[in-house]
């Protein structure tokens, strides 16, 4: 069965420092991986995805993610954090079992400190 | 461009009352549609998804149901709400074929009292 894990409930980082939000996955077959961000009382917003190709994927708002097949990871990164990046971040994988389901991690709360 | 609407934005309902939440998508055709529930600002629970009119796949709920009467309309219903139905309900869509990202609506905050 497909799954994703976000091992950190919360990540704190100082403004201007690089940030990393971790995600590991378990899939049968090629992984289709996604990152989303959620601000309070809002729906999720798509940030970026990995389907195939370059291991470094660039997305919205200066975010990028690195796909690592050997470590089955898809960590979200940003070179310089902003206070406005503070939000809840979700990693997701598309189910491979012939359905159209997406499996989400439990979310990581990012807090950027001024 | 495509947009997704949900209403109402907030709802307070007593236990045992009925529920109807609506989701509509504009600017696309034949989308896959999804209903999620998010409790306490955390993980997403998939409730239902649909790949076409009248085609509903149920993941979990006992007292919730979903319907898709039109291509771009997805409705979440209950005949009798439970306290445990409180939460943030999110509708999402993707393009019908291939592997695409999901686009989420603004959500409905449901409080069952």
């Amino acid at each position: 069965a497909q799954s994703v894990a976000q091992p950190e409930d919360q990540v704190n980082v100082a403004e201007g420092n690089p940030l990393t939000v971790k995600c590991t996955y378990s899939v049968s077959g090629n992984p289709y991986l996604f990152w989303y961000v959620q601000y309070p009382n809002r729906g999720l917003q798509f940030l970026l995805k990995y389907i195939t190709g370059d291991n470094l994927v660039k997305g919205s708002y200066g975010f990028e993610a690195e796909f690592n097949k050997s470590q089955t990871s898809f960590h979200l990164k940003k070179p310089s954090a902003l206070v406005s990046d503070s939000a809840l971040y979700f990693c997701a994988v598309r189910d491979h079992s012939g359905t159209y389901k997406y499996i989400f991690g439990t979310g990581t709360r990012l807090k950027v400190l001024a | 461009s495509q947009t997704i609407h949900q209403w109402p934005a907030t709802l307070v309902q007593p236990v045992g009352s009925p529920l109807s939440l609506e989701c509509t998508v504009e600017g696309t055709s034949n989308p896959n549609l999804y209903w999620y529930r998010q409790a306490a600002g955390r993980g997403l629970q998939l409730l239902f998804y649909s790949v076409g009119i009248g085609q509903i796949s149920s993941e979990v709920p006992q007292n919730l149901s979903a319907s898709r009467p039109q291509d771009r309309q997805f409705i979440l219903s209950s005949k009798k709400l439970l306290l445990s139905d409180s939460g943030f309900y999110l509708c999402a869509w993707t393009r019908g074929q291939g592997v695409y990202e999901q686009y989420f609506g603004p959500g409905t905050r449901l409080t069952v009292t």
Side-chain angles (χ1 to χ4, degrees), chain B:
Chain B
S1 65
Q2 301 87 12
T3 54
I4 178 169
H5 303 280
Q6 283 186 249
W7 62 89
T10 60
L11 194 58
V12 180
Q13 294 282 93
V15 167
S17 63
L19 173 73
S20 181
L21 303 181
E22 190 164 341
C23 171
T24 59
V25 180
E26 295 177 355
T28 189
S29 59
N30 224 17
N32 294 338
L33 297 170
Y34 304 79
W35 277 113
Y36 293 90
R37 179 168 59 203
Q38 185 178 29
R42 211 62 191 190
L44 297 176
Q45 178 187 28
L46 177 63
L47 301 175
F48 301 94
Y49 67 98
S50 171
V51 300
I53 296 174
Q55 301 178 59
I56 309 294
S57 295
S58 174
E59 289 296 299
V60 177
Q62 305 294 318
N63 69 317
L64 295 174
S65 61
S67 62
R68 185 170 177 174
Q70 300 180 39
D71 182 44
R72 290 168 291 173
Q73 184 184 31
F74 204 24
I75 297 171
L76 182 70
S77 304
S78 174
K79 292 182 179 177
K80 288 187 178 181
L81 283 169
L82 307 172
L83 284 174
S84 57
D85 292 324
S86 293
F88 193 48
Y89 287 79
L90 290 162
C91 181
W93 73 274
T94 65
R95 290 184 179 85
Q97 300 297 322
V99 181
Y100 296 100
E101 59 274 18
Q102 290 185 302
Y103 293 94
F104 285 79
T108 295
R109 173 78 56 193
L110 172 66
T111 303
V112 182
T113 60

Side-chain angles (χ1 to χ4, degrees), chain A residues 47-69:
Chain A
L47 284 178
L48 49 81
K49 65 183 176 186
Y50 173 82
I51 305 298
T52 186
D54 286 343
N55 290 342
L56 187 64
V57 179
K58 294 192 181 295
S60 306
Y61 313 120
F63 284 94
E64 57 191 28
E66 186 170 8
F67 172 69
N68 188 316
K69 189 172 183 178

Side-chain angles (χ1 to χ4, degrees), chain A residues 3 6 9 19 24-25 29 36 40 44 52 56 62 64-65 68 78 87 90 93 95 105:
Chain A
S3 66
Q6 293 182 244
D9 278 350
L19 71 86
T24 59
Y25 64 89
Y36 294 85
L44 279 68
T52 186
L56 187 64
E64 57 191 28
N68 188 316
K78 189 174 182 182
F90 289 97
V93 64
D95 185 69

Side-chain angles (χ1 to χ4, degrees), chain A residues 68-105:
Chain A
N68 188 316
K69 189 172 183 178
S70 62
Q71 296 187 8
T72 62
S73 66
F74 189 54
H75 300 333
L76 182 70
K77 300 182 179 186
K78 189 174 182 182
S80 179
L82 300 172
V83 172
S84 57
D85 292 329
S86 299
L88 187 57
Y89 290 81
F90 289 97
C91 181
V93 64
R94 164 72 182 271
D95 185 69
H96 264 264
S97 61
T99 73
Y100 290 89
K101 296 190 293 186
Y102 293 75
I103 295 134
F104 283 80

